[in-house]
Amino acid sequence: MRKTRIIKRVLLTIISALAALMVVCNQLVVKNAEGKTFDVVDSVPDGDYVGLLLGTTPMTRISHRRNIFFENRIKATANLYHAGKIRKILISGDDKSLDGINETECMKDSLLARGVPESDINLDGKGYRTIHSVQRAYHDFGCKNLIVISQKFHNERALYLADHLGLNFDRNVGFNAESPRSLMSQKSVYPGIAYRSVGSYRIYRATNGWHWKHVWTSPADWYSWIESLVKG
């Protein structure tokens, strides 16, 4: 009985520490993006920018309804382009997502329908995660002045990655596509807080060569570690 209570206390301590870490990481990401994201096209400073459009699917994966995140990102990108705020567009996403949809091609077709010429659109089908999109924009596509285009919670994370991965962008800012207002859509924002903690870990891993497996390799190792504390 005593051992069970101690294990529960250790687990509660770990969960509390992880929750605190998530709060700290979230605040770091938000603070980093202050003054670097814009909601209105006219407020975006002039510059020789490439628009990095972060990918998503045109239909939601679970309910197969219109994806308002997708539609609003397309609208925001087209508006920036036609206002002369971006000269080229780099669409970065999964060329074969979980449901077999090519995110980049779908976004390209939608931009063409809004009058953006194909000659000014580049595709990166290997942007599986935000960190890949940012790194590949710099290393593979040579982008120096970047406007990340997505919803605000996503842009904040992308800018944090860009600023802490040793990528020497001359300038990187974000343009916030409108966020959907439905309750179902808002629920998808919450995992973004956890992703910010994961993003911080990926930055540390990329810059220090460290991996969680250096400490624990499976749930059994977690239990063994707790048992050792109890026995010790």
Side-chain angles (χ1 to χ4, degrees):
M1 184 66 69
R2 179 175 176 274
K3 182 189 292 186
T4 301
R5 286 200 303 269
I6 294 176
I7 290 176
K8 287 182 178 179
R9 288 176 183 173
V10 172
L11 288 175
L12 181 60
T13 300
I14 293 173
I15 292 171
S16 299
L18 290 175
L21 178 63
M22 288 174 60
V23 171
V24 171
C25 288
N26 183 64
Q27 290 304 310
L28 287 173
V29 170
V30 171
K31 186 71 175 176
N32 180 79
E34 286 183 358
K36 297 181 65 177
T37 65
F38 304 92
D39 299 296
V40 180
V41 171
D42 290 341
S43 66
V44 176
D46 294 330
D48 191 22
Y49 290 109
V50 173
L52 176 61
L53 173 57
L54 299 179
T56 187
T57 55
M59 305 293 288
T60 58
R61 290 196 171 104
I62 297 177
S63 61
H64 299 287
R65 297 178 179 176
R66 290 169 48 211
N67 186 348
I68 308 302
F69 287 97
F70 176 98
E71 295 180 4
N72 288 351
R73 290 182 201 181
I74 295 298
K75 179 181 177 182
T77 304
N79 287 344
L80 285 170
Y81 180 85
H82 291 305
K85 296 296 183 178
I86 52 179
R87 58 179 180 82
K88 295 286 184 179
I89 299 168
L90 174 60
I91 305 174
S92 183
D94 194 338
D95 56 7
K96 193 175 182 180
S97 60
L98 293 175
D99 40 13
I101 294 177
N102 188 323
E103 294 176 353
T104 56
E105 287 289 349
C106 290
M107 288 188 141
K108 173 186 173 182
D109 291 342
S110 295
L111 287 174
L112 293 176
R114 285 180 172 268
V116 177
E118 187 171 5
S119 58
D120 286 338
I121 301 175
N122 292 311
L123 304 183
D124 175 17
K126 307 303 179 187
Y128 304 126
R129 299 181 183 276
T130 307
I131 190 170
H132 300 148
S133 297
V134 173
Q135 287 177 318
R136 288 175 60 80
Y138 182 81
H139 291 298
D140 293 49
F141 292 88
C143 298
K144 295 296 184 182
N145 296 296
L146 204 66
I147 294 182
V148 184
I149 306 166
S150 187
Q151 277 67 33
K152 183 178 181 180
F153 71 94
H154 198 183
N155 284 339
E156 289 172 339
R157 179 156 48 97
L159 292 176
Y160 188 84
L161 291 168
D163 288 340
H164 293 82
L165 284 170
L167 307 177
N168 296 317
F169 289 107
D170 292 336
R171 187 162 193 183
N172 56 293
V173 297
F175 185 78
N176 302 325
E178 184 178 354
S179 293
R181 300 176 186 236
S182 70
L183 179 61
M184 183 65 70
S185 297
Q186 287 299 318
K187 287 181 179 179
S188 66
V189 175
Y190 301 142
I193 297 176
Y195 292 154
R196 289 171 176 180
S197 303
V198 174
S200 298
Y201 156 64
R202 285 182 177 142
I203 290 172
Y204 189 83
R205 176 181 172 182
T207 55
N208 295 274
W210 187 85
H211 196 282
W212 286 113
K213 67 183 180 182
H214 296 167
V215 182
W216 296 295
T217 58
S218 70
D221 293 318
W222 280 78
Y223 188 81
S224 297
W225 175 67
I226 294 171
E227 283 246 294
S228 69
L229 292 179
V230 174
K231 292 177 180 177

